[in-house]
Amino acid sequence: MRILAKEDGGIVSLKVIIPHPNESGTRKDESGKVVPAYFIREGSVLLNGQPLFELQLGPSVSKDPFLQFRFAGKKGDRLNLRFIDSRKLEYVAEAAVV
């Protein structure tokens, strides 16, 4: 996961790229067979160990989803991110606000 968390005036801008194929279940491959759905389903972000927010995603999100959020915070705050896909694989990362 690529993460950038930057504070400006007490507001943190968090940008995240999750490397994932994110298949919707409607696309067909070269032989005409439907490619099974496989996508990021849910995620959560902790700020200094406390829940900041949770989110649910669906199959319409693009390959390698880019997410951006803004919230109140300060430099040095710790972020823990966790995303789970439709096959129940977990993607976790940690970052500090700069």
Side-chain angles (χ1 to χ4, degrees):
M1 227 181 301
R2 291 179 49 199
I3 302 169
L4 175 62
K6 188 173 180 181
E7 183 269 341
D8 183 21
I11 301 297
V12 176
S13 176
L14 171 62
K15 298 177 182 181
V16 182
I17 296 176
I18 308 166
H20 195 277
N22 267 9
E23 289 291 346
S24 67
T26 60
R27 187 177 69 83
K28 294 182 180 180
D29 65 13
E30 299 80 27
S31 64
K33 294 181 182 176
V34 174
V35 177
Y38 179 42
F39 54 91
I40 300 290
R41 290 182 45 181
E42 59 189 71
S44 62
V45 177
L46 301 179
L47 177 64
N48 297 321
Q50 299 298 313
L52 182 61
F53 61 86
E54 295 181 353
L55 59 123
Q56 294 181 338
L57 302 169
S60 64
V61 176
S62 69
K63 177 182 176 184
D64 301 331
F66 169 76
L67 307 171
Q68 183 171 337
F69 311 97
R70 293 173 55 108
F71 55 90
K74 62 187 182 311
K75 292 180 182 175
D77 281 347
R78 301 296 304 175
L79 295 163
N80 296 88
L81 293 83
R82 178 177 176 247
F83 295 94
I84 301 171
D85 70 18
S86 57
R87 295 181 187 166
K88 300 196 186 316
L89 295 175
E90 290 187 54
Y91 302 81
V92 295
E94 185 175 313
V97 176
V98 295

